[in-house]
Short mmCIF file of all heavy atoms in Angstrom, two decimals:
data_model
loop_
_atom_site.label_atom_id
_atom_site.label_comp_id
_atom_site.label_asym_id
_atom_site.label_seq_id
_atom_site.Cartn_x
_atom_site.Cartn_y
_atom_site.Cartn_z
N ARG X 327 10.43 74.61 -16.66
CA ARG X 327 10.14 73.91 -15.41
C ARG X 327 8.73 74.21 -14.92
O ARG X 327 8.02 73.31 -14.43
CB ARG X 327 11.17 74.29 -14.34
CG ARG X 327 10.91 73.63 -13.00
CD ARG X 327 12.16 73.56 -12.16
NE ARG X 327 13.18 72.74 -12.80
CZ ARG X 327 14.33 72.41 -12.22
NH1 ARG X 327 14.59 72.79 -10.98
NH2 ARG X 327 15.21 71.68 -12.86
N ILE X 328 8.31 75.44 -15.04
CA ILE X 328 6.95 75.81 -14.61
C ILE X 328 5.92 75.06 -15.44
O ILE X 328 4.91 74.55 -14.90
CB ILE X 328 6.76 77.33 -14.71
CG1 ILE X 328 7.62 78.03 -13.64
CG2 ILE X 328 5.29 77.72 -14.56
CD1 ILE X 328 7.76 79.53 -13.83
N ALA X 329 6.15 74.96 -16.76
CA ALA X 329 5.25 74.19 -17.61
C ALA X 329 5.23 72.72 -17.20
O ALA X 329 4.18 72.07 -17.20
CB ALA X 329 5.66 74.34 -19.07
N ARG X 330 6.39 72.20 -16.81
CA ARG X 330 6.47 70.80 -16.39
C ARG X 330 5.69 70.58 -15.10
O ARG X 330 5.08 69.51 -14.91
CB ARG X 330 7.93 70.39 -16.21
CG ARG X 330 8.10 68.88 -16.01
CD ARG X 330 9.56 68.51 -15.86
NE ARG X 330 10.32 68.92 -17.03
CZ ARG X 330 11.43 69.64 -16.98
NH1 ARG X 330 11.93 70.02 -15.81
NH2 ARG X 330 12.06 69.98 -18.09
N TRP X 331 5.71 71.57 -14.20
CA TRP X 331 4.92 71.42 -12.97
C TRP X 331 3.44 71.26 -13.29
O TRP X 331 2.74 70.49 -12.65
CB TRP X 331 5.14 72.63 -12.06
CG TRP X 331 6.45 72.63 -11.36
CD1 TRP X 331 7.26 71.55 -11.14
CD2 TRP X 331 7.13 73.74 -10.79
NE1 TRP X 331 8.40 71.93 -10.46
CE2 TRP X 331 8.34 73.26 -10.23
CE3 TRP X 331 6.83 75.10 -10.68
CZ2 TRP X 331 9.25 74.10 -9.59
CZ3 TRP X 331 7.73 75.94 -10.04
CH2 TRP X 331 8.93 75.44 -9.50
N ARG X 332 2.94 71.98 -14.27
CA ARG X 332 1.53 71.83 -14.66
C ARG X 332 1.29 70.43 -15.23
O ARG X 332 0.25 69.81 -14.97
CB ARG X 332 1.15 72.90 -15.68
CG ARG X 332 1.06 74.30 -15.07
CD ARG X 332 0.64 75.33 -16.10
NE ARG X 332 0.44 76.64 -15.49
CZ ARG X 332 -0.71 77.07 -14.98
NH1 ARG X 332 -1.77 76.26 -15.02
NH2 ARG X 332 -0.82 78.27 -14.45
N GLU X 333 2.24 69.95 -16.04
CA GLU X 333 2.10 68.60 -16.60
C GLU X 333 2.09 67.55 -15.50
O GLU X 333 1.35 66.57 -15.58
CB GLU X 333 3.25 68.34 -17.57
CG GLU X 333 3.22 69.21 -18.83
CD GLU X 333 4.50 69.10 -19.62
OE1 GLU X 333 5.41 68.33 -19.21
OE2 GLU X 333 4.61 69.78 -20.67
N ARG X 334 2.91 67.76 -14.47
CA ARG X 334 3.01 66.78 -13.41
C ARG X 334 1.72 66.73 -12.57
O ARG X 334 1.39 65.70 -11.99
CB ARG X 334 4.23 67.07 -12.52
CG ARG X 334 5.54 66.77 -13.23
CD ARG X 334 6.74 67.20 -12.40
NE ARG X 334 6.90 66.39 -11.21
CZ ARG X 334 7.58 65.24 -11.16
NH1 ARG X 334 8.15 64.76 -12.26
NH2 ARG X 334 7.69 64.57 -10.04
N TRP X 335 1.00 67.84 -12.48
CA TRP X 335 -0.31 67.81 -11.83
C TRP X 335 -1.23 66.84 -12.58
O TRP X 335 -1.85 65.96 -11.98
CB TRP X 335 -0.92 69.22 -11.81
CG TRP X 335 -2.32 69.27 -11.27
CD1 TRP X 335 -3.47 68.88 -11.91
CD2 TRP X 335 -2.73 69.72 -9.98
NE1 TRP X 335 -4.57 69.08 -11.11
CE2 TRP X 335 -4.15 69.60 -9.92
CE3 TRP X 335 -2.05 70.24 -8.89
CZ2 TRP X 335 -4.88 69.97 -8.79
CZ3 TRP X 335 -2.78 70.61 -7.76
CH2 TRP X 335 -4.18 70.47 -7.71
N HIS X 336 -1.30 67.00 -13.91
CA HIS X 336 -2.20 66.16 -14.70
C HIS X 336 -1.71 64.71 -14.75
O HIS X 336 -2.53 63.79 -14.92
CB HIS X 336 -2.35 66.74 -16.09
CG HIS X 336 -3.06 68.06 -16.11
ND1 HIS X 336 -4.39 68.19 -15.79
CD2 HIS X 336 -2.60 69.32 -16.36
CE1 HIS X 336 -4.74 69.47 -15.86
NE2 HIS X 336 -3.68 70.17 -16.20
N ALA X 337 -0.39 64.52 -14.58
CA ALA X 337 0.15 63.16 -14.51
C ALA X 337 0.06 62.58 -13.10
O ALA X 337 0.45 61.44 -12.87
CB ALA X 337 1.60 63.14 -14.97
N GLU X 338 -0.44 63.37 -12.14
CA GLU X 338 -0.63 62.98 -10.75
C GLU X 338 0.69 62.60 -10.08
O GLU X 338 0.76 61.65 -9.30
CB GLU X 338 -1.65 61.84 -10.64
CG GLU X 338 -3.00 62.20 -11.24
CD GLU X 338 -4.11 61.26 -10.87
OE1 GLU X 338 -3.92 60.03 -10.99
OE2 GLU X 338 -5.18 61.75 -10.43
N ARG X 339 1.72 63.39 -10.37
CA ARG X 339 3.03 63.13 -9.79
C ARG X 339 3.44 64.17 -8.75
O ARG X 339 4.27 63.89 -7.90
CB ARG X 339 4.08 63.06 -10.90
CG ARG X 339 3.83 61.92 -11.88
CD ARG X 339 4.88 61.84 -12.95
NE ARG X 339 6.21 61.54 -12.38
CZ ARG X 339 7.32 61.56 -13.10
NH1 ARG X 339 7.29 61.88 -14.38
NH2 ARG X 339 8.47 61.27 -12.54
N SER X 340 2.89 65.38 -8.82
CA SER X 340 3.19 66.41 -7.82
C SER X 340 2.20 67.55 -7.98
O SER X 340 1.45 67.62 -8.96
CB SER X 340 4.63 66.93 -7.99
OG SER X 340 4.80 67.58 -9.23
N ALA X 341 2.23 68.45 -6.99
CA ALA X 341 1.37 69.64 -7.01
C ALA X 341 2.19 70.79 -6.43
O ALA X 341 2.66 70.70 -5.29
CB ALA X 341 0.11 69.40 -6.19
N VAL X 342 2.36 71.85 -7.20
CA VAL X 342 3.25 72.93 -6.81
C VAL X 342 2.52 74.26 -6.89
O VAL X 342 1.91 74.58 -7.92
CB VAL X 342 4.51 72.98 -7.71
CG1 VAL X 342 5.48 74.04 -7.22
CG2 VAL X 342 5.19 71.61 -7.75
N TRP X 343 2.57 75.02 -5.80
CA TRP X 343 1.93 76.32 -5.72
C TRP X 343 2.97 77.43 -5.58
O TRP X 343 4.03 77.24 -4.98
CB TRP X 343 1.02 76.40 -4.50
CG TRP X 343 -0.30 75.73 -4.65
CD1 TRP X 343 -1.50 76.29 -5.01
CD2 TRP X 343 -0.60 74.34 -4.40
NE1 TRP X 343 -2.50 75.35 -5.01
CE2 TRP X 343 -1.98 74.14 -4.65
CE3 TRP X 343 0.18 73.25 -4.03
CZ2 TRP X 343 -2.59 72.91 -4.51
CZ3 TRP X 343 -0.42 72.02 -3.89
CH2 TRP X 343 -1.80 71.85 -4.13
N ALA X 344 2.62 78.61 -6.09
CA ALA X 344 3.39 79.84 -5.86
C ALA X 344 2.77 80.59 -4.69
O ALA X 344 1.55 80.59 -4.50
CB ALA X 344 3.39 80.72 -7.10
N LEU X 345 3.62 81.23 -3.91
CA LEU X 345 3.19 82.24 -2.95
C LEU X 345 3.52 83.59 -3.57
O LEU X 345 4.69 83.87 -3.87
CB LEU X 345 3.92 82.07 -1.62
CG LEU X 345 3.42 80.94 -0.71
CD1 LEU X 345 4.49 80.58 0.31
CD2 LEU X 345 2.15 81.37 0.00
N ALA X 346 2.51 84.41 -3.80
CA ALA X 346 2.71 85.65 -4.53
C ALA X 346 1.86 86.76 -3.91
O ALA X 346 0.88 86.47 -3.19
CB ALA X 346 2.33 85.47 -6.00
N PRO X 347 2.19 88.03 -4.16
CA PRO X 347 1.35 89.11 -3.64
C PRO X 347 -0.09 88.97 -4.12
O PRO X 347 -0.34 88.64 -5.28
CB PRO X 347 2.00 90.37 -4.24
CG PRO X 347 3.43 89.98 -4.47
CD PRO X 347 3.38 88.54 -4.88
N ALA X 348 -1.01 89.19 -3.21
CA ALA X 348 -2.42 89.00 -3.54
C ALA X 348 -2.90 89.97 -4.61
O ALA X 348 -3.85 89.68 -5.35
CB ALA X 348 -3.28 89.14 -2.28
N ASP X 349 -2.25 91.14 -4.70
CA ASP X 349 -2.66 92.13 -5.70
C ASP X 349 -1.92 91.98 -7.02
O ASP X 349 -1.99 92.85 -7.88
CB ASP X 349 -2.47 93.55 -5.15
CG ASP X 349 -1.04 93.83 -4.70
OD1 ASP X 349 -0.19 92.92 -4.81
OD2 ASP X 349 -0.78 94.95 -4.23
N GLY X 350 -1.21 90.88 -7.19
CA GLY X 350 -0.52 90.62 -8.45
C GLY X 350 0.98 90.69 -8.29
O GLY X 350 1.50 91.16 -7.28
N GLY X 351 1.69 90.24 -9.30
CA GLY X 351 3.15 90.26 -9.25
C GLY X 351 3.73 88.88 -9.19
O GLY X 351 3.02 87.87 -9.06
N CYS X 352 5.06 88.83 -9.28
CA CYS X 352 5.79 87.57 -9.33
C CYS X 352 5.75 86.84 -7.99
O CYS X 352 5.58 87.45 -6.94
CB CYS X 352 7.24 87.81 -9.73
SG CYS X 352 7.48 88.09 -11.49
N ALA X 353 5.96 85.57 -8.07
CA ALA X 353 6.03 84.72 -6.88
C ALA X 353 7.18 85.15 -5.98
O ALA X 353 8.21 85.63 -6.45
CB ALA X 353 6.19 83.27 -7.28
N VAL X 354 6.99 84.94 -4.66
CA VAL X 354 8.06 85.15 -3.69
C VAL X 354 8.34 83.87 -2.90
O VAL X 354 9.18 83.85 -2.02
CB VAL X 354 7.74 86.30 -2.72
CG1 VAL X 354 7.66 87.63 -3.47
CG2 VAL X 354 6.44 86.03 -1.95
N GLY X 355 7.62 82.81 -3.23
CA GLY X 355 7.83 81.56 -2.51
C GLY X 355 7.14 80.40 -3.20
O GLY X 355 6.44 80.58 -4.21
N LEU X 356 7.35 79.23 -2.65
CA LEU X 356 6.82 77.98 -3.23
C LEU X 356 6.44 77.03 -2.11
O LEU X 356 7.13 76.92 -1.10
CB LEU X 356 7.88 77.34 -4.13
CG LEU X 356 7.59 75.95 -4.72
CD1 LEU X 356 8.28 75.81 -6.09
CD2 LEU X 356 8.07 74.83 -3.80
N ILE X 357 5.31 76.35 -2.31
CA ILE X 357 4.94 75.19 -1.49
C ILE X 357 4.61 74.07 -2.47
O ILE X 357 3.77 74.24 -3.36
CB ILE X 357 3.75 75.46 -0.57
CG1 ILE X 357 4.06 76.60 0.41
CG2 ILE X 357 3.38 74.19 0.21
CD1 ILE X 357 2.91 76.96 1.33
N GLY X 358 5.27 72.94 -2.32
CA GLY X 358 5.05 71.83 -3.23
C GLY X 358 4.71 70.55 -2.50
O GLY X 358 5.20 70.31 -1.38
N LEU X 359 3.85 69.75 -3.10
CA LEU X 359 3.50 68.43 -2.58
C LEU X 359 4.09 67.42 -3.54
O LEU X 359 3.67 67.32 -4.70
CB LEU X 359 1.98 68.28 -2.50
CG LEU X 359 1.43 66.94 -2.01
CD1 LEU X 359 1.90 66.64 -0.60
CD2 LEU X 359 -0.09 66.94 -2.08
N ALA X 360 5.10 66.70 -3.09
CA ALA X 360 5.85 65.80 -3.97
C ALA X 360 5.90 64.39 -3.37
O ALA X 360 5.27 64.12 -2.35
CB ALA X 360 7.25 66.34 -4.19
N ASP X 361 6.66 63.53 -4.03
CA ASP X 361 6.78 62.13 -3.62
C ASP X 361 5.40 61.54 -3.37
O ASP X 361 5.16 60.85 -2.38
CB ASP X 361 7.66 62.03 -2.37
CG ASP X 361 8.21 60.63 -2.16
OD1 ASP X 361 8.20 59.85 -3.14
OD2 ASP X 361 8.64 60.30 -1.04
N LEU X 362 4.49 61.82 -4.30
CA LEU X 362 3.11 61.39 -4.13
C LEU X 362 2.97 59.88 -4.31
O LEU X 362 3.48 59.30 -5.28
CB LEU X 362 2.21 62.09 -5.15
CG LEU X 362 1.69 63.48 -4.78
CD1 LEU X 362 0.92 64.07 -5.94
CD2 LEU X 362 0.81 63.41 -3.54
N ASP X 363 2.28 59.27 -3.39
CA ASP X 363 1.89 57.86 -3.50
C ASP X 363 0.38 57.83 -3.31
O ASP X 363 -0.11 57.65 -2.19
CB ASP X 363 2.61 57.02 -2.43
CG ASP X 363 2.17 55.56 -2.43
OD1 ASP X 363 1.42 55.15 -3.34
OD2 ASP X 363 2.58 54.83 -1.51
N LEU X 364 -0.36 58.05 -4.39
CA LEU X 364 -1.81 58.13 -4.27
C LEU X 364 -2.42 56.80 -3.84
O LEU X 364 -3.28 56.78 -2.96
CB LEU X 364 -2.42 58.61 -5.59
CG LEU X 364 -2.02 60.04 -6.02
CD1 LEU X 364 -2.75 60.41 -7.31
CD2 LEU X 364 -2.31 61.05 -4.93
N PRO X 365 -1.99 55.67 -4.40
CA PRO X 365 -2.56 54.40 -3.91
C PRO X 365 -2.29 54.18 -2.42
O PRO X 365 -3.14 53.65 -1.70
CB PRO X 365 -1.87 53.34 -4.77
CG PRO X 365 -1.48 54.05 -6.01
CD PRO X 365 -1.12 55.44 -5.57
#
Side-chain angles (χ1 to χ4, degrees):
R327 178 157 298 187
I328 291 167
R330 190 179 302 128
W331 285 340
R332 289 182 175 270
E333 293 169 1
R334 289 174 68 87
W335 175 284
H336 294 292
E338 302 194 311
R339 297 181 63 187
S340 64
V342 184
W343 282 264
L345 282 161
D349 56 0
C352 282
V354 295
L356 174 149
I357 300 178
L359 178 61
D361 200 18
L362 275 176
D363 176 7
L364 297 183

